[in-house]
mmCIF file of all heavy atoms in Angstrom:
data_model
loop_
_atom_site.group_PDB
_atom_site.id
_atom_site.type_symbol
_atom_site.label_atom_id
_atom_site.label_comp_id
_atom_site.label_asym_id
_atom_site.label_seq_id
_atom_site.Cartn_x
_atom_site.Cartn_y
_atom_site.Cartn_z
ATOM 1 N N ILE B 159 -9.774 -3.933 -3.982
ATOM 2 C CA ILE B 159 -10.697 -3.519 -3.080
ATOM 3 C C ILE B 159 -11.268 -4.553 -2.253
ATOM 4 O O ILE B 159 -11.398 -4.548 -1.014
ATOM 5 C CB ILE B 159 -11.762 -2.541 -3.544
ATOM 6 C CG1 ILE B 159 -11.121 -1.260 -4.342
ATOM 7 C CG2 ILE B 159 -12.750 -2.087 -2.553
ATOM 8 C CD1 ILE B 159 -12.054 -0.320 -4.963
ATOM 9 N N GLY B 160 -11.516 -5.660 -3.050
ATOM 10 C CA GLY B 160 -12.047 -6.930 -2.405
ATOM 11 C C GLY B 160 -11.145 -7.354 -1.299
ATOM 12 O O GLY B 160 -11.616 -7.806 -0.162
ATOM 13 N N MET B 161 -9.907 -7.253 -1.546
ATOM 14 C CA MET B 161 -8.851 -7.860 -0.595
ATOM 15 C C MET B 161 -8.866 -6.949 0.682
ATOM 16 O O MET B 161 -8.673 -7.397 1.826
ATOM 17 C CB MET B 161 -7.477 -7.972 -1.261
ATOM 18 C CG MET B 161 -7.359 -8.988 -2.244
ATOM 19 S SD MET B 161 -5.769 -9.556 -2.621
ATOM 20 C CE MET B 161 -5.280 -8.311 -3.826
ATOM 21 N N LEU B 162 -9.024 -5.631 0.452
ATOM 22 C CA LEU B 162 -9.163 -4.646 1.621
ATOM 23 C C LEU B 162 -10.336 -5.035 2.328
ATOM 24 O O LEU B 162 -10.396 -4.974 3.636
ATOM 25 C CB LEU B 162 -9.265 -3.253 1.150
ATOM 26 C CG LEU B 162 -7.913 -2.539 0.751
ATOM 27 C CD1 LEU B 162 -8.162 -1.083 0.319
ATOM 28 C CD2 LEU B 162 -6.948 -2.513 2.069
ATOM 29 N N MET B 163 -11.441 -5.338 1.642
ATOM 30 C CA MET B 163 -12.740 -5.686 2.357
ATOM 31 C C MET B 163 -12.535 -6.944 3.301
ATOM 32 O O MET B 163 -13.245 -6.881 4.406
ATOM 33 C CB MET B 163 -13.798 -5.993 1.313
ATOM 34 C CG MET B 163 -14.222 -4.819 0.428
ATOM 35 S SD MET B 163 -14.858 -3.452 1.310
ATOM 36 C CE MET B 163 -16.307 -4.024 2.030
ATOM 37 N N ILE B 164 -11.697 -7.797 3.046
ATOM 38 C CA ILE B 164 -11.431 -9.033 3.880
ATOM 39 C C ILE B 164 -10.863 -8.534 5.146
ATOM 40 O O ILE B 164 -11.310 -8.963 6.256
ATOM 41 C CB ILE B 164 -10.510 -9.978 3.101
ATOM 42 C CG1 ILE B 164 -11.213 -10.466 1.788
ATOM 43 C CG2 ILE B 164 -10.282 -11.191 4.055
ATOM 44 C CD1 ILE B 164 -12.377 -11.303 1.865
ATOM 45 N N ILE B 165 -9.907 -7.492 5.174
ATOM 46 C CA ILE B 165 -9.383 -7.046 6.344
ATOM 47 C C ILE B 165 -10.482 -6.448 7.271
ATOM 48 O O ILE B 165 -10.641 -6.605 8.354
ATOM 49 C CB ILE B 165 -8.292 -5.907 6.048
ATOM 50 C CG1 ILE B 165 -7.232 -6.419 5.155
ATOM 51 C CG2 ILE B 165 -7.799 -5.360 7.382
ATOM 52 C CD1 ILE B 165 -6.124 -5.442 4.933
ATOM 53 N N CYS B 166 -11.353 -5.610 6.469
ATOM 54 C CA CYS B 166 -12.424 -4.971 7.118
ATOM 55 C C CYS B 166 -13.463 -5.945 7.779
ATOM 56 O O CYS B 166 -13.792 -5.908 9.059
ATOM 57 C CB CYS B 166 -13.377 -4.121 6.183
ATOM 58 S SG CYS B 166 -12.396 -2.927 5.199
ATOM 59 N N ILE B 167 -13.826 -6.938 6.987
ATOM 60 C CA ILE B 167 -14.830 -7.979 7.542
ATOM 61 C C ILE B 167 -14.204 -8.738 8.812
ATOM 62 O O ILE B 167 -14.867 -8.863 9.847
ATOM 63 C CB ILE B 167 -15.161 -9.003 6.448
ATOM 64 C CG1 ILE B 167 -15.896 -8.425 5.237
ATOM 65 C CG2 ILE B 167 -15.953 -10.157 6.993
ATOM 66 C CD1 ILE B 167 -16.109 -9.176 4.046
ATOM 67 N N ARG B 168 -12.911 -9.197 8.639
ATOM 68 C CA ARG B 168 -12.363 -10.008 9.745
ATOM 69 C C ARG B 168 -12.104 -9.048 10.966
ATOM 70 O O ARG B 168 -12.204 -9.517 11.993
ATOM 71 C CB ARG B 168 -11.176 -10.690 9.304
ATOM 72 C CG ARG B 168 -11.449 -11.807 8.214
ATOM 73 C CD ARG B 168 -10.606 -12.961 8.014
ATOM 74 N NE ARG B 168 -9.411 -13.083 8.828
ATOM 75 C CZ ARG B 168 -8.746 -14.231 8.828
ATOM 76 N NH1 ARG B 168 -9.096 -15.195 7.969
ATOM 77 N NH2 ARG B 168 -7.704 -14.284 9.609
ATOM 78 N N GLY B 169 -11.667 -7.828 10.616
ATOM 79 C CA GLY B 169 -11.461 -6.907 11.811
ATOM 80 C C GLY B 169 -12.722 -6.575 12.569
ATOM 81 O O GLY B 169 -12.747 -6.582 13.710
ATOM 82 N N VAL B 170 -13.794 -6.330 11.795
ATOM 83 C CA VAL B 170 -15.121 -6.072 12.532
ATOM 84 C C VAL B 170 -15.585 -7.256 13.264
ATOM 85 O O VAL B 170 -15.903 -7.239 14.434
ATOM 86 C CB VAL B 170 -16.186 -5.702 11.416
ATOM 87 C CG1 VAL B 170 -17.530 -5.674 12.091
ATOM 88 C CG2 VAL B 170 -15.840 -4.224 10.847
ATOM 89 N N ARG B 171 -15.423 -8.561 12.774
ATOM 90 C CA ARG B 171 -15.870 -9.638 13.396
ATOM 91 C C ARG B 171 -15.035 -9.829 14.700
ATOM 92 O O ARG B 171 -15.623 -10.345 15.689
ATOM 93 C CB ARG B 171 -15.629 -10.930 12.574
ATOM 94 C CG ARG B 171 -16.621 -11.394 11.547
ATOM 95 C CD ARG B 171 -16.082 -12.369 10.620
ATOM 96 N NE ARG B 171 -16.927 -13.469 10.400
ATOM 97 C CZ ARG B 171 -16.351 -14.625 10.002
ATOM 98 N NH1 ARG B 171 -15.146 -14.788 9.746
ATOM 99 N NH2 ARG B 171 -17.227 -15.663 9.701
ATOM 100 N N ARG B 172 -13.807 -9.494 14.658
ATOM 101 C CA ARG B 172 -12.899 -9.782 15.858
ATOM 102 C C ARG B 172 -13.298 -8.799 16.971
ATOM 103 O O ARG B 172 -13.084 -8.926 18.061
ATOM 104 C CB ARG B 172 -11.498 -9.515 15.371
ATOM 105 C CG ARG B 172 -10.452 -10.312 16.147
ATOM 106 C CD ARG B 172 -9.134 -10.173 15.604
ATOM 107 N NE ARG B 172 -8.632 -8.798 15.173
ATOM 108 C CZ ARG B 172 -8.478 -8.361 13.965
ATOM 109 N NH1 ARG B 172 -8.673 -9.099 13.046
ATOM 110 N NH2 ARG B 172 -8.158 -7.062 13.934
ATOM 111 N N THR B 173 -13.746 -7.504 16.409
ATOM 112 C CA THR B 173 -13.998 -6.510 17.427
ATOM 113 C C THR B 173 -15.450 -6.312 17.889
ATOM 114 O O THR B 173 -15.761 -5.659 18.789
ATOM 115 C CB THR B 173 -13.636 -5.132 16.703
ATOM 116 O OG1 THR B 173 -12.439 -5.393 15.967
ATOM 117 C CG2 THR B 173 -13.214 -4.150 17.900
#
Side-chain angles (χ1 to χ4, degrees):
Chain B
I159 296 174
M161 291 199 275
L162 278 178
M163 296 303 293
I164 301 291
I165 305 184
C166 307
I167 293 169
R168 297 206 1 175
V170 167
R171 274 167 133 202
R172 210 171 50 243
T173 322

